[in-house]
Amino acid sequence: MTRAREPIVVVGGGIAGLATALSLAPWPVRLLCRTHDGSDTASVLAQGGIAAAIDDADSPAAHALDTLAAGAQHNDQLRVHWLCQQAPEAIDWLQTQGVVFDRDARGQLHLGREGGHQVARIVHVGGDASGAGIMAVLRQRVQQATHIQYRGDVEVDALLLRGSTVEGVRIRDRRERAHEIGASAVVLATGGIGALFARTSNPPGADGNGLALGLCAGAQIRDIEFVQFHPTALCVAESGCLPLITEALRGAGARLQDHSGRPLMTGLHPQEDLAPRDIVARQVWDAHRREGAAWLDARELKRGWERYFPTVMAACLAHGIDPRTQRMPVTAASHFHMGGLAVDLDGQTSVNGLYAVGEVACNGVHGANRLASNSLLEGVLCGRRLGVLLADRGAQNMTPKTGGGRYRWVTRGNSLPAELMADLRSTLWRAAGPVRDAAGLQQASQACAQWAEQGWQARLASDLLAAARSRAHSLGSHYRADALIGGEFR
Ligand code: SIN
């Protein structure tokens, strides 16, 4: 329920946050972001585009089947069907906002193929610069929107509850000054937790802040052990945000190889290099364990680099690698969190007045492993659905059922000091990366328990490790090397 007069606070400037804020019109919105221009989001870095059954030979049902197969059937089926059915509408809405998708020679939307998709159904903007292209347009829309008041360079570190209803947030500006903002509802759109792992394709802001805030307000979480690892980040450093090498490059013919040039995926899955991500990521992880390296060979790709893969090309060249003539060193990297704050399709968490949308939320559409190019899609569709819903409730003057109660702040608490953050990231990468086992998870849990008093990130990591320990079998992206499968350890 929304309380009349006060703004709706949207925390996070990724695609889900912007779609929510725009769709809330004319209800007043305070949009809060950690960087001055909201650029520190995984949406901006997204290379893959948006999956939608647009081609005459394709159908939402086929898109749903692929989504369910990638998700290891752990998905909420009805919600998957809704997502896939609505996908073409998301493309229409983005075009209405001014997004210009790539077209083929016949003037039709150009459709690419990525891992887990049986057919080509991914639309892109500027080739592999999809996220940047879409976000630039939506950010412009936000700047023009009179109902949105934008505030950057702030971090939300506490939620205000009245009784059991969220009624506001506390922000800290760059000078650590605290400000309080009352809200008729709070929407967390803060992204995922990729930056808690040593190797990631995510920006530093993807550190689980929104998840930690929801937890301290008592919100229920779901499936938080399911973290997707992308098979191909450019392996140019031991840790940090690594440049992504889009899966679309494998869709266009690039192949994974071991150090001696032997194909990594042959015979392991019918879709080989385009098998679902968790399967490919484990092979890349394993090649690193055995030989200290894995490679992506795209030298056969003679044309189209500038048009379809300008981002990959620029990242490689910046690191002294010419992908037209050299193999690219690749590593698996944390990429997407399927788990999060448990919500229904309307983004309602288990706490009154608190909503979550996009990667911070878990509504069950992605199951145990997200299908490629379904995340921007979810951000747009669920953001729009939530924005329209809350605006409608506001227009009907629906008042909150708070039942009153006393006001109290729930706070996330201190951040881990930088040196412990580095230890935490390495610990999670080793123990809760693409391959997990009981001993590693237990050791990591002990380490995080020691750090728990010193920072919220360690408490969040402990929750993730506990969930991973209690799921003793492998499912989707959660792979337990110590699980017995069909009478054998695999
Ligand atoms: C990619 O381009 O490989 C990533 C796409 C996605 O994460 O959906």
Side-chain angles (χ1 to χ4, degrees):
M1 297 293 168
T2 55
R3 275 177 301 285
R5 288 182 295 278
E6 277 183 309
I8 289 176
V9 168
V10 177
V11 189
I15 197 161
L18 299 196
T20 306
L22 287 168
S23 306
L24 270 161
W27 198 259
V29 173
R30 297 290 299 272
L31 178 60
L32 307 174
C33 295
R34 272 169 148 180
T35 53
H36 74 286
D37 60 356
S39 58
D40 181 37
T41 73
S43 304
V44 171
L45 299 179
Q47 295 184 11
I50 301 191
I54 290 170
D55 196 78
D56 288 345
D58 197 4
S59 68
H63 183 184
L65 273 184
D66 288 348
T67 301
L68 292 163
Q73 311 295 330
H74 186 65
N75 325 52
D76 182 315
Q77 288 214 20
L78 286 179
R79 293 175 184 182
V80 168
H81 284 286
W82 173 82
L83 186 89
C84 299
Q85 196 73 47
Q86 296 295 311
E89 196 269 335
I91 307 298
D92 289 346
W93 181 75
L94 286 168
Q95 293 188 117
T96 312
Q97 299 304 306
V99 173
V100 179
F101 290 102
D102 297 345
R103 293 193 175 258
D104 62 22
R106 291 173 302 134
Q108 307 292 320
L109 288 176
H110 179 268
L111 300 176
R113 188 169 166 211
E114 291 171 11
H117 291 271
Q118 302 287 344
V119 299
R121 65 162 71 93
I122 324 285
V123 295
H124 289 91
V125 178
D128 62 7
S130 301
I134 294 169
M135 291 296 289
V137 170
L138 294 186
R139 281 215 290 259
Q140 203 178 14
R141 287 276 166 213
V142 164
Q143 277 162 12
Q144 291 160 347
T146 50
H147 70 287
I148 301 175
Q149 198 184 338
Y150 178 83
R151 180 138 189 209
D153 281 332
V154 292
E155 172 138 353
V156 174
D157 72 346
L159 297 173
L160 176 65
L161 276 107
R162 183 177 188 199
S164 55
T165 299
V166 172
E167 293 202 3
V169 300
R170 184 177 71 199
I171 57 174
R172 296 214 174 258
D173 64 19
R174 290 185 84 170
R175 293 159 69 183
E176 285 297 313
R177 288 177 308 206
H179 308 264
E180 296 167 8
I181 304 175
S184 55
V186 172
V187 177
L188 297 173
T190 47
I193 58 165
L196 294 182
F197 290 79
R199 291 185 182 187
T200 182
S201 63
N202 288 189
D207 60 1
N209 179 42
L211 191 48
L213 279 169
L215 275 167
C216 72
Q220 281 169 14
I221 52 176
R222 176 175 172 190
D223 288 348
I224 64 164
E225 65 275 35
F226 293 110
V227 178
Q228 179 173 85
F229 298 92
H230 197 287
T232 56
L234 194 63
C235 190
V236 285
E238 277 307 300
S239 65
C241 174
L242 303 173
L244 191 73
I245 308 292
T246 178
E247 210 160 58
L249 203 55
R250 276 175 281 133
R255 290 292 167 260
L256 283 160
Q257 298 175 345
D258 68 9
H259 202 56
S260 346
R262 279 186 296 264
L264 269 190
M265 292 306 299
T266 302
L268 287 171
H269 189 277
Q271 285 170 270
E272 300 202 335
D273 288 75
L274 289 176
R277 251 175 220 174
D278 58 315
I279 296 170
V280 186
R282 280 197 293 280
Q283 291 309 314
V284 171
W285 166 277
D286 203 46
H288 270 267
R289 188 186 53 78
R290 284 184 279 108
E291 308 187 316
W295 301 87
L296 186 67
D297 190 348
R299 288 174 293 183
E300 290 285 301
L301 209 78
K302 300 287 181 232
R303 286 196 310 272
W305 278 100
E306 287 79 8
R307 173 150 187 223
Y308 296 116
F309 304 109
T311 312
V312 169
M313 179 86 160
C316 287
L317 292 178
H319 289 92
I321 302 157
D322 185 339
R324 293 165 299 191
T325 56
Q326 290 170 286
R327 298 192 301 169
M328 292 164 269
V330 290
T331 173
S334 68
H335 185 58
F336 186 84
H337 196 198
M338 277 70 71
L341 295 169
V343 294
D344 59 17
L345 261 191
D346 294 334
Q348 174 69 65
T349 70
S350 59
V351 176
N352 200 19
L354 184 65
Y355 297 81
V357 68
E359 197 173 342
V360 67
C362 177
N363 58 27
V365 289
H366 302 305
N369 187 27
R370 174 179 63 82
L371 181 67
S373 288
N374 267 357
S375 56
L376 294 181
L377 174 64
E378 183 205 4
V380 170
L381 285 177
C382 292
R384 283 195 19 79
R385 182 173 167 131
L386 175 58
V388 168
L389 177 99
L390 292 178
D392 279 354
R393 287 183 184 171
Q396 290 165 31
N397 221 0
M398 290 170 85
T399 48
K401 294 196 169 59
T402 64
R406 74 184 172 84
Y407 284 101
R408 69 194 160 98
W409 286 98
V410 289
T411 167
R412 188 195 64 180
N414 293 339
S415 279
L416 271 188
E419 61 289 357
L420 281 188
M421 264 315 285
D423 289 346
L424 179 96
R425 290 189 180 111
S426 307
T427 301
L428 278 189
W429 176 246
R430 275 196 309 272
V435 175
R436 304 167 172 182
D437 65 31
L441 290 168
Q442 189 193 348
Q443 254 179 18
S445 296
Q446 282 164 353
C448 287
Q450 281 173 11
W451 303 326
E453 291 303 309
Q454 296 180 68
W456 59 266
Q457 295 92 338
R459 294 193 290 282
L460 190 55
S462 292
D463 287 344
L464 190 153
L465 291 163
R469 288 174 76 185
S470 63
R471 193 179 292 278
H473 62 283
S474 296
L475 188 67
S477 66
H478 171 70
Y479 183 78
R480 289 283 302 250
D482 53 345
L484 205 54
I485 305 170
E488 284 176 43
F489 284 101
R490 299 228 177 112

mmCIF file of all heavy atoms in Angstrom, residues 45-49 114-115 117 122 124 128 201 228 230-232 244-250 277 335-336 370-376, ligand 1:
data_model
loop_
_atom_site.group_PDB
_atom_site.id
_atom_site.type_symbol
_atom_site.label_atom_id
_atom_site.label_comp_id
_atom_site.label_asym_id
_atom_site.label_seq_id
_atom_site.Cartn_x
_atom_site.Cartn_y
_atom_site.Cartn_z
ATOM 1 N N LEU A 45 26.821 -2.306 -18.067
ATOM 2 C CA LEU A 45 27.872 -3.185 -18.605
ATOM 3 C C LEU A 45 27.310 -4.336 -19.436
ATOM 4 O O LEU A 45 28.078 -5.065 -20.065
ATOM 5 C CB LEU A 45 28.699 -3.776 -17.459
ATOM 6 C CG LEU A 45 29.448 -2.771 -16.578
ATOM 7 C CD1 LEU A 45 30.202 -3.502 -15.473
ATOM 8 C CD2 LEU A 45 30.424 -1.953 -17.418
ATOM 9 N N ALA A 46 25.991 -4.525 -19.403
ATOM 10 C CA ALA A 46 25.407 -5.695 -20.076
ATOM 11 C C ALA A 46 25.738 -5.668 -21.567
ATOM 12 O O ALA A 46 25.517 -4.661 -22.238
ATOM 13 C CB ALA A 46 23.902 -5.720 -19.868
ATOM 14 N N GLN A 47 26.262 -6.766 -22.053
ATOM 15 C CA GLN A 47 26.600 -6.853 -23.483
ATOM 16 C C GLN A 47 25.498 -7.576 -24.243
ATOM 17 O O GLN A 47 25.056 -7.151 -25.292
ATOM 18 C CB GLN A 47 27.936 -7.569 -23.652
ATOM 19 C CG GLN A 47 29.077 -6.789 -23.066
ATOM 20 C CD GLN A 47 30.431 -7.450 -23.302
ATOM 21 O OE1 GLN A 47 30.554 -8.398 -24.069
ATOM 22 N NE2 GLN A 47 31.443 -6.936 -22.627
ATOM 23 N N GLY A 48 25.101 -8.717 -23.656
ATOM 24 C CA GLY A 48 23.985 -9.437 -24.238
ATOM 25 C C GLY A 48 22.792 -8.502 -24.198
ATOM 26 O O GLY A 48 22.739 -7.564 -23.398
ATOM 27 N N GLY A 49 21.835 -8.722 -25.018
ATOM 28 C CA GLY A 49 20.716 -7.789 -25.104
ATOM 29 C C GLY A 49 19.506 -8.276 -24.364
ATOM 30 O O GLY A 49 19.577 -8.574 -23.173
ATOM 31 N N GLU A 114 22.493 -16.875 -27.948
ATOM 32 C CA GLU A 114 23.410 -17.034 -26.816
ATOM 33 C C GLU A 114 23.146 -18.372 -26.144
ATOM 34 O O GLU A 114 22.208 -19.091 -26.508
ATOM 35 C CB GLU A 114 23.226 -15.872 -25.821
ATOM 36 C CG GLU A 114 23.704 -14.544 -26.385
ATOM 37 C CD GLU A 114 23.348 -13.343 -25.536
ATOM 38 O OE1 GLU A 114 22.898 -13.522 -24.388
ATOM 39 O OE2 GLU A 114 23.498 -12.227 -26.035
ATOM 40 N N GLY A 115 23.978 -18.670 -25.134
ATOM 41 C CA GLY A 115 23.917 -19.971 -24.463
ATOM 42 C C GLY A 115 22.524 -20.310 -23.950
ATOM 43 O O GLY A 115 21.829 -19.461 -23.400
ATOM 44 N N HIS A 117 19.837 -20.934 -25.538
ATOM 45 C CA HIS A 117 18.725 -20.627 -26.457
ATOM 46 C C HIS A 117 18.798 -21.583 -27.646
ATOM 47 O O HIS A 117 19.850 -21.708 -28.272
ATOM 48 C CB HIS A 117 18.812 -19.190 -26.977
ATOM 49 C CG HIS A 117 18.542 -18.152 -25.931
ATOM 50 N ND1 HIS A 117 17.283 -17.677 -25.665
ATOM 51 C CD2 HIS A 117 19.375 -17.514 -25.067
ATOM 52 C CE1 HIS A 117 17.342 -16.776 -24.696
ATOM 53 N NE2 HIS A 117 18.609 -16.661 -24.312
ATOM 54 N N ILE A 122 17.830 -12.859 -29.538
ATOM 55 C CA ILE A 122 18.313 -11.768 -28.685
ATOM 56 C C ILE A 122 18.459 -10.493 -29.518
ATOM 57 O O ILE A 122 19.172 -10.486 -30.528
ATOM 58 C CB ILE A 122 19.710 -12.083 -28.084
ATOM 59 C CG1 ILE A 122 19.876 -13.559 -27.737
ATOM 60 C CG2 ILE A 122 20.014 -11.146 -26.918
ATOM 61 C CD1 ILE A 122 19.202 -14.047 -26.538
ATOM 62 N N HIS A 124 19.826 -6.601 -29.793
ATOM 63 C CA HIS A 124 20.966 -5.849 -29.246
ATOM 64 C C HIS A 124 20.872 -4.376 -29.641
ATOM 65 O O HIS A 124 20.151 -4.008 -30.569
ATOM 66 C CB HIS A 124 22.290 -6.411 -29.795
ATOM 67 C CG HIS A 124 22.638 -7.749 -29.241
ATOM 68 N ND1 HIS A 124 22.252 -8.918 -29.836
ATOM 69 C CD2 HIS A 124 23.353 -8.100 -28.141
ATOM 70 C CE1 HIS A 124 22.706 -9.946 -29.124
ATOM 71 N NE2 HIS A 124 23.373 -9.474 -28.088
ATOM 72 N N ASP A 128 27.451 -5.397 -29.053
ATOM 73 C CA ASP A 128 27.570 -5.843 -27.661
ATOM 74 C C ASP A 128 27.528 -4.683 -26.663
ATOM 75 O O ASP A 128 27.901 -4.854 -25.503
ATOM 76 C CB ASP A 128 28.850 -6.665 -27.484
ATOM 77 C CG ASP A 128 30.108 -5.847 -27.776
ATOM 78 O OD1 ASP A 128 30.000 -4.627 -27.974
ATOM 79 O OD2 ASP A 128 31.205 -6.441 -27.800
ATOM 80 N N SER A 201 32.148 -10.024 -13.184
ATOM 81 C CA SER A 201 31.883 -9.129 -14.321
ATOM 82 C C SER A 201 31.104 -7.908 -13.840
ATOM 83 O O SER A 201 30.726 -7.067 -14.640
ATOM 84 C CB SER A 201 31.035 -9.874 -15.358
ATOM 85 O OG SER A 201 29.779 -10.198 -14.778
ATOM 86 N N GLN A 228 25.127 -17.082 -10.524
ATOM 87 C CA GLN A 228 25.563 -17.501 -11.863
ATOM 88 C C GLN A 228 26.984 -17.029 -12.143
ATOM 89 O O GLN A 228 27.322 -15.883 -11.849
ATOM 90 C CB GLN A 228 24.636 -16.899 -12.909
ATOM 91 C CG GLN A 228 25.035 -17.265 -14.327
ATOM 92 C CD GLN A 228 23.995 -16.803 -15.327
ATOM 93 O OE1 GLN A 228 24.022 -15.664 -15.765
ATOM 94 N NE2 GLN A 228 23.085 -17.678 -15.691
ATOM 95 N N HIS A 230 29.650 -16.445 -15.137
ATOM 96 C CA HIS A 230 29.773 -16.339 -16.591
ATOM 97 C C HIS A 230 31.058 -17.051 -16.988
ATOM 98 O O HIS A 230 32.079 -16.896 -16.327
ATOM 99 C CB HIS A 230 29.814 -14.861 -17.003
ATOM 100 C CG HIS A 230 29.535 -14.642 -18.453
ATOM 101 N ND1 HIS A 230 30.449 -14.970 -19.431
ATOM 102 C CD2 HIS A 230 28.447 -14.144 -19.090
ATOM 103 C CE1 HIS A 230 29.920 -14.672 -20.622
ATOM 104 N NE2 HIS A 230 28.712 -14.180 -20.437
ATOM 105 N N PRO A 231 31.018 -17.824 -18.078
ATOM 106 C CA PRO A 231 32.220 -18.599 -18.440
ATOM 107 C C PRO A 231 33.354 -17.740 -18.980
ATOM 108 O O PRO A 231 34.513 -18.148 -18.913
ATOM 109 C CB PRO A 231 31.729 -19.548 -19.536
ATOM 110 C CG PRO A 231 30.254 -19.393 -19.611
ATOM 111 C CD PRO A 231 29.872 -18.126 -18.939
ATOM 112 N N THR A 232 33.034 -16.584 -19.548
ATOM 113 C CA THR A 232 34.090 -15.869 -20.267
ATOM 114 C C THR A 232 34.198 -14.394 -19.885
ATOM 115 O O THR A 232 33.678 -13.521 -20.569
ATOM 116 C CB THR A 232 33.899 -16.002 -21.804
ATOM 117 O OG1 THR A 232 32.594 -15.530 -22.150
ATOM 118 C CG2 THR A 232 34.056 -17.428 -22.283
ATOM 119 N N LEU A 244 33.784 -8.317 -19.636
ATOM 120 C CA LEU A 244 33.037 -9.489 -20.088
ATOM 121 C C LEU A 244 33.332 -9.765 -21.559
ATOM 122 O O LEU A 244 33.526 -8.826 -22.334
ATOM 123 C CB LEU A 244 31.539 -9.210 -19.904
ATOM 124 C CG LEU A 244 30.619 -10.411 -20.078
ATOM 125 C CD1 LEU A 244 30.744 -11.358 -18.896
ATOM 126 C CD2 LEU A 244 29.168 -9.953 -20.209
ATOM 127 N N ILE A 245 33.376 -11.025 -21.911
ATOM 128 C CA ILE A 245 33.428 -11.409 -23.337
ATOM 129 C C ILE A 245 32.082 -12.050 -23.621
ATOM 130 O O ILE A 245 31.817 -13.177 -23.215
ATOM 131 C CB ILE A 245 34.545 -12.445 -23.619
ATOM 132 C CG1 ILE A 245 35.886 -11.969 -23.071
ATOM 133 C CG2 ILE A 245 34.624 -12.752 -25.108
ATOM 134 C CD1 ILE A 245 36.449 -10.785 -23.790
ATOM 135 N N THR A 246 31.246 -11.326 -24.311
ATOM 136 C CA THR A 246 29.854 -11.769 -24.458
ATOM 137 C C THR A 246 29.725 -13.171 -25.059
ATOM 138 O O THR A 246 30.480 -13.563 -25.948
ATOM 139 C CB THR A 246 29.047 -10.769 -25.322
ATOM 140 O OG1 THR A 246 27.721 -11.274 -25.471
ATOM 141 C CG2 THR A 246 29.654 -10.571 -26.701
ATOM 142 N N GLU A 247 28.703 -13.861 -24.559
ATOM 143 C CA GLU A 247 28.382 -15.192 -25.050
ATOM 144 C C GLU A 247 27.992 -15.147 -26.534
ATOM 145 O O GLU A 247 28.119 -16.146 -27.247
ATOM 146 C CB GLU A 247 27.186 -15.680 -24.236
ATOM 147 C CG GLU A 247 27.125 -17.133 -24.052
ATOM 148 C CD GLU A 247 26.243 -17.468 -22.870
ATOM 149 O OE1 GLU A 247 25.066 -17.079 -22.889
ATOM 150 O OE2 GLU A 247 26.735 -18.127 -21.952
ATOM 151 N N ALA A 248 27.522 -13.986 -26.972
ATOM 152 C CA ALA A 248 27.134 -13.842 -28.381
ATOM 153 C C ALA A 248 28.322 -14.117 -29.300
ATOM 154 O O ALA A 248 28.142 -14.495 -30.465
ATOM 155 C CB ALA A 248 26.593 -12.438 -28.629
ATOM 156 N N LEU A 249 29.522 -13.951 -28.772
ATOM 157 C CA LEU A 249 30.707 -14.237 -29.584
ATOM 158 C C LEU A 249 30.795 -15.742 -29.869
ATOM 159 O O LEU A 249 31.151 -16.162 -30.968
ATOM 160 C CB LEU A 249 31.953 -13.759 -28.828
ATOM 161 C CG LEU A 249 33.199 -13.443 -29.627
ATOM 162 C CD1 LEU A 249 32.937 -12.438 -30.719
ATOM 163 C CD2 LEU A 249 34.276 -12.909 -28.690
ATOM 164 N N ARG A 250 30.430 -16.554 -28.844
ATOM 165 C CA ARG A 250 30.350 -17.999 -29.102
ATOM 166 C C ARG A 250 29.162 -18.294 -30.016
ATOM 167 O O ARG A 250 29.212 -19.204 -30.835
ATOM 168 C CB ARG A 250 30.251 -18.763 -27.776
ATOM 169 C CG ARG A 250 31.625 -19.014 -27.161
ATOM 170 C CD ARG A 250 31.525 -19.652 -25.789
ATOM 171 N NE ARG A 250 31.208 -18.672 -24.777
ATOM 172 C CZ ARG A 250 30.285 -18.803 -23.832
ATOM 173 N NH1 ARG A 250 29.567 -19.910 -23.774
ATOM 174 N NH2 ARG A 250 30.057 -17.849 -22.960
ATOM 175 N N ARG A 277 25.049 -21.762 -19.153
ATOM 176 C CA ARG A 277 26.251 -21.132 -18.606
ATOM 177 C C ARG A 277 26.938 -21.894 -17.490
ATOM 178 O O ARG A 277 28.155 -21.899 -17.394
ATOM 179 C CB ARG A 277 25.825 -19.794 -18.039
ATOM 180 C CG ARG A 277 26.312 -18.696 -18.851
ATOM 181 C CD ARG A 277 25.802 -17.421 -18.369
ATOM 182 N NE ARG A 277 25.493 -16.665 -19.561
ATOM 183 C CZ ARG A 277 24.899 -15.509 -19.568
ATOM 184 N NH1 ARG A 277 24.508 -14.964 -18.441
ATOM 185 N NH2 ARG A 277 24.679 -14.888 -20.685
ATOM 186 N N HIS A 335 28.481 -13.393 -11.999
ATOM 187 C CA HIS A 335 27.836 -12.572 -13.017
ATOM 188 C C HIS A 335 26.427 -12.143 -12.618
ATOM 189 O O HIS A 335 26.035 -11.011 -12.865
ATOM 190 C CB HIS A 335 27.792 -13.377 -14.313
ATOM 191 C CG HIS A 335 27.273 -12.629 -15.501
ATOM 192 N ND1 HIS A 335 27.849 -11.476 -15.961
ATOM 193 C CD2 HIS A 335 26.216 -12.881 -16.333
ATOM 194 C CE1 HIS A 335 27.190 -11.036 -17.027
ATOM 195 N NE2 HIS A 335 26.186 -11.860 -17.259
ATOM 196 N N PHE A 336 25.663 -13.039 -12.004
ATOM 197 C CA PHE A 336 24.256 -12.718 -11.738
ATOM 198 C C PHE A 336 23.768 -13.519 -10.535
ATOM 199 O O PHE A 336 24.130 -14.686 -10.370
ATOM 200 C CB PHE A 336 23.404 -13.058 -12.963
ATOM 201 C CG PHE A 336 21.968 -12.624 -12.836
ATOM 202 C CD1 PHE A 336 21.595 -11.315 -13.149
ATOM 203 C CD2 PHE A 336 20.986 -13.497 -12.379
ATOM 204 C CE1 PHE A 336 20.273 -10.900 -13.022
ATOM 205 C CE2 PHE A 336 19.668 -13.091 -12.243
ATOM 206 C CZ PHE A 336 19.312 -11.781 -12.576
ATOM 207 N N ARG A 370 20.001 -18.417 -14.518
ATOM 208 C CA ARG A 370 19.273 -17.550 -15.451
ATOM 209 C C ARG A 370 19.661 -17.828 -16.908
ATOM 210 O O ARG A 370 20.845 -18.013 -17.218
ATOM 211 C CB ARG A 370 19.577 -16.079 -15.128
ATOM 212 C CG ARG A 370 18.987 -15.114 -16.120
ATOM 213 C CD ARG A 370 19.283 -13.688 -15.741
ATOM 214 N NE ARG A 370 20.689 -13.366 -15.737
ATOM 215 C CZ ARG A 370 21.406 -13.054 -16.814
ATOM 216 N NH1 ARG A 370 20.838 -13.059 -18.009
ATOM 217 N NH2 ARG A 370 22.680 -12.750 -16.703
ATOM 218 N N LEU A 371 18.676 -17.812 -17.772
ATOM 219 C CA LEU A 371 18.941 -17.924 -19.206
ATOM 220 C C LEU A 371 19.517 -16.594 -19.706
ATOM 221 O O LEU A 371 19.083 -15.518 -19.271
ATOM 222 C CB LEU A 371 17.633 -18.233 -19.940
ATOM 223 C CG LEU A 371 17.727 -18.409 -21.467
ATOM 224 C CD1 LEU A 371 18.517 -19.657 -21.835
ATOM 225 C CD2 LEU A 371 16.327 -18.486 -22.082
ATOM 226 N N ALA A 372 20.488 -16.696 -20.619
ATOM 227 C CA ALA A 372 21.145 -15.497 -21.153
ATOM 228 C C ALA A 372 20.121 -14.487 -21.667
ATOM 229 O O ALA A 372 19.119 -14.851 -22.289
ATOM 230 C CB ALA A 372 22.077 -15.909 -22.287
ATOM 231 N N SER A 373 20.399 -13.224 -21.390
ATOM 232 C CA SER A 373 19.597 -12.097 -21.876
ATOM 233 C C SER A 373 18.154 -12.070 -21.365
ATOM 234 O O SER A 373 17.290 -11.439 -21.960
ATOM 235 C CB SER A 373 19.648 -11.997 -23.412
ATOM 236 O OG SER A 373 20.934 -11.526 -23.768
ATOM 237 N N ASN A 374 17.920 -12.749 -20.256
ATOM 238 C CA ASN A 374 16.627 -12.637 -19.581
ATOM 239 C C ASN A 374 16.662 -11.624 -18.434
ATOM 240 O O ASN A 374 15.627 -11.386 -17.817
ATOM 241 C CB ASN A 374 16.202 -14.000 -18.995
ATOM 242 C CG ASN A 374 15.322 -14.795 -19.954
ATOM 243 O OD1 ASN A 374 14.979 -14.313 -21.023
ATOM 244 N ND2 ASN A 374 14.977 -16.006 -19.581
ATOM 245 N N SER A 375 17.840 -11.035 -18.134
ATOM 246 C CA SER A 375 17.869 -10.178 -16.942
ATOM 247 C C SER A 375 17.449 -8.744 -17.236
ATOM 248 O O SER A 375 16.666 -8.159 -16.479
ATOM 249 C CB SER A 375 19.242 -10.199 -16.282
ATOM 250 O OG SER A 375 20.224 -9.816 -17.198
ATOM 251 N N LEU A 376 17.931 -8.160 -18.348
ATOM 252 C CA LEU A 376 17.433 -6.820 -18.697
ATOM 253 C C LEU A 376 15.924 -6.910 -18.934
ATOM 254 O O LEU A 376 15.157 -6.013 -18.576
ATOM 255 C CB LEU A 376 18.135 -6.270 -19.939
ATOM 256 C CG LEU A 376 19.642 -5.973 -19.832
ATOM 257 C CD1 LEU A 376 20.168 -5.418 -21.157
ATOM 258 C CD2 LEU A 376 19.969 -5.019 -18.703
HETATM 259 C C1 SIN B 1 26.586 -12.043 -22.321
HETATM 260 O O1 SIN B 1 26.544 -11.175 -23.178
HETATM 261 O O2 SIN B 1 27.258 -13.058 -22.438
HETATM 262 C C2 SIN B 1 25.817 -11.832 -21.050
HETATM 263 C C3 SIN B 1 24.388 -11.782 -21.304
HETATM 264 C C4 SIN B 1 23.615 -12.007 -20.041
HETATM 265 O O3 SIN B 1 24.180 -12.048 -18.953
HETATM 266 O O4 SIN B 1 22.419 -12.214 -20.146
#
